[in-house]
Amino acid sequence: MVGKQKLIDEILSSAKKTAAAMVEEATAEQTEALAALRKELDAAQAESLARSDKAADDYYSGQVKLGDLEAGKALLHAKQRCVAAVYDGVRDKILRAPDAEYLALLQKLVVEVCEDGDEIIAAKSDAKRVNAAWVKKVSAAAKKKLTLSKVQGDFSGGVILRNPRYDRDLSVDEIVAELKERTVGDTLKALGL
């Protein structure tokens, strides 16, 4: 039995050595695989962080640009309101001018562009100022036949010259709009905008 036991002990010893070698080899492979996986995970994490940082930078940059755009829009809107207030003031000053000044301005404009036979349409608000006597005076100054229309215009002030071919808008709103178109640059400079 001693020989048999010895053989069993040798087989067991050999099996233990083989098993230990296999465990050692598996452990080494596992350690190597874990190291490779750790390396991949670290690289993926670094790439993910870089993408996150870039996305955050892009988002921040986008928000800054958006903020700049919004600030620009707000500034432009404020400038537009300032300019509109100036021209609204001009419009109001014309409309509130004493009759003599107001009618002199309208007369000058009508005389410059009227044609023989034009009909003058006055604003409803100017019915007392722009009357037949005034039209007669303007007609004489222009040396053209002008008539006052029985129709009154639905605009804030001024007149419209009507003839069969076309109308000429000399309403206060149109006068101020043309003035604005010609002078808005100078107005912006004067306002420091």
Side-chain angles (χ1 to χ4, degrees), residues 24-164:
E24 189 176 312
E25 186 179 323
T27 302
E29 285 177 8
Q30 180 186 16
T31 303
E32 191 177 302
L34 283 173
L37 184 58
R38 172 56 59 198
K39 189 175 179 181
E40 277 182 49
L41 287 174
D42 288 345
Q45 182 180 18
E47 183 182 336
S48 178
L49 285 173
R51 280 198 318 259
S52 295
D53 287 346
K54 183 176 179 348
D57 288 346
D58 289 349
Y59 178 76
Y60 176 76
S61 177
Q63 291 301 308
V64 167
K65 286 178 184 174
L66 184 60
D68 287 347
L69 286 174
E70 289 300 319
K73 282 173 40 180
L75 181 61
L76 176 62
H77 185 65
K79 286 180 180 182
Q80 289 170 334
R81 283 195 334 257
C82 287
V83 169
V86 167
Y87 290 99
D88 287 347
V90 168
R91 178 183 163 276
D92 292 344
K93 186 173 182 177
I94 292 171
L95 291 172
R96 287 193 316 265
D99 287 353
E101 287 179 38
Y102 182 75
L103 293 174
L105 172 65
L106 289 183
Q107 179 176 330
K108 181 178 185 279
L109 294 170
V110 169
V111 167
E112 285 178 8
V113 297
C114 71
E115 293 182 9
D116 202 36
D118 278 351
E119 181 180 34
I120 296 177
I121 301 170
K124 288 177 188 176
S125 60
D126 286 343
K128 291 183 181 177
R129 299 201 270 191
V130 179
N131 53 35
W134 180 79
V135 171
K136 187 175 180 180
K137 180 181 170 188
V138 174
S139 186
K143 299 179 182 165
K144 297 186 177 147
K145 183 179 183 233
L146 305 172
T147 58
L148 180 62
S149 176
K150 291 179 182 168
V151 176
Q152 293 179 333
D154 194 18
F155 43 93
S156 62
V159 298
I160 292 177
L161 300 178
R162 176 168 284 163
N163 64 44

Side-chain angles (χ1 to χ4, degrees), residues 9 13 21-22 75 80 140 147 176:
D9 288 342
S13 174
M22 289 174 73
L75 181 61
Q80 289 170 334
T147 58
V176 172

